[in-house]
Amino acid sequence: SARFIPENEPLDVFWVSLRDNIVPQMAVAVRRDALLAVGGYEESLRYAEDYDLWLRLAQRHVRFVCSYRVTANYRGHEAQATEQPLELIWGAYQARRRVFDSVARDDPATAERVGEEIRGVWERLLREAWRSRDPEFFGLALKIGDLVPGAARRQRRWQRARVLWPVWLAATRLWDRVPPGARRALRAPLRGLLGLS
C-alpha cells in the first residue's frame, strides 16, 4: 500500500481502493464498530470477499491508515485463493459492481464517476490480457464486461477484435524473434502506422 497512500495519515481511500485492492488482509486491523456497521464479510462471495469489505468500509468514508512496518508473514500453499488468479480477478469486479449498484440507488452523479473508474480499470485489464497472449485470461477480461457499467459497446468492440487473436499471436511470435535493437528502431514507425502515436 506504500505506492498508494502515505504512512500514518488517516485518509479517505475510496477512489484509490476502487482501482486497486490496497489492503493486505493478513496485516489489517479494523475497528469492530466499523466492521459491524458495514455487515462484515459478504459470505456469498467466494473470492475477493476481503476486497469487497474494504470497498464497503472506504465507501462509508472510514479513514484508512497505512503503516510501512512489516506486521505479518505470508506463507503460500497450493490450496489458497491466491493460486486462483482468474477467480480473484472476477471476484474483484463483482465487488466493484456491488459498489456501483449500491451508489446508483442513491447518488446518480457519484454512480457515474464510479462507473467511469470501473471502466478505466477494466480497459487496462483488457489491454493487459490481450498482451499476455493467454486466451483464458483474455476470455475472462471480455466476460468481466458484463459486470462493468456502461461497457457493452466497448465489450462488443473487443469481442470483434478477438477474431484477430490468431493473427496477433502469430505477429507477437515473429516480433519476439526480432533482435532488441531492431525492435527499438521499428517501434515508433509501427506505432505511427497503427495510429497509436
Side-chain angles (χ1 to χ4, degrees):
S1 58
R3 296 179 300 151
F4 302 107
I5 55 177
E7 185 175 25
N8 297 327
E9 191 176 323
L11 295 171
D12 182 338
V13 296
F14 175 69
W15 297 105
V16 172
S17 296
L18 198 56
R19 290 179 216 111
D20 289 290
N21 185 355
I22 63 171
V23 181
Q25 178 165 278
M26 75 292 244
V28 69
V30 182
R31 286 191 336 264
R32 185 174 191 273
D33 62 323
L35 193 61
L36 293 174
V38 298
Y41 288 102
E42 174 54 53
E43 294 179 17
S44 68
L45 297 176
R46 171 67 180 97
Y47 295 96
E49 70 285 352
D50 59 326
Y51 181 49
D52 174 75
L53 176 61
W54 315 140
L55 281 174
R56 285 184 285 120
L57 285 165
Q59 187 178 357
R60 289 184 77 125
H61 305 291
V62 171
R63 300 290 184 191
F64 286 49
V65 178
C66 174
S67 170
Y68 295 167
R69 289 179 295 146
V70 176
T71 58
N73 290 320
Y74 184 80
R75 184 179 66 83
H77 57 85
E78 293 177 10
Q80 66 193 40
T82 54
E83 294 298 317
Q84 308 297 323
L86 298 182
E87 286 83 354
L88 287 172
I89 292 169
W90 178 257
Y93 280 87
Q94 285 180 305
R96 288 179 177 112
R97 181 59 194 228
R98 286 167 47 85
V99 168
F100 174 80
D101 290 344
S102 71
V103 173
R105 288 190 296 266
D106 304 321
D107 187 353
T110 302
E112 185 174 327
R113 182 172 172 203
V114 168
E116 287 172 13
E117 290 288 341
I118 295 171
R119 281 190 301 278
V121 174
W122 175 64
E123 284 280 346
R124 285 189 295 279
L125 178 77
L126 277 166
R127 287 190 295 273
E128 178 188 344
W130 180 269
R131 286 190 300 265
S132 77
R133 308 177 196 176
D134 179 342
E136 191 177 359
F137 182 20
F138 186 63
L140 173 72
L142 279 175
K143 182 181 174 196
I144 284 172
D146 295 341
L147 297 173
V148 176
R153 197 177 100 231
R154 297 289 290 162
Q155 187 180 29
R156 283 190 302 272
R157 184 174 154 207
W158 277 98
Q159 285 168 336
R160 285 192 301 271
R162 190 178 199 177
V163 173
L164 299 173
W165 185 264
V167 176
W168 162 250
L169 290 178
T172 57
R173 284 197 279 286
L174 285 173
W175 182 254
D176 288 344
R177 292 180 177 180
V178 174
R183 274 192 237 168
R184 281 190 293 277
L186 290 170
R187 193 166 278 130
L190 284 173
R191 289 181 68 80
L193 182 67
L194 296 171
L196 299 173
S197 55

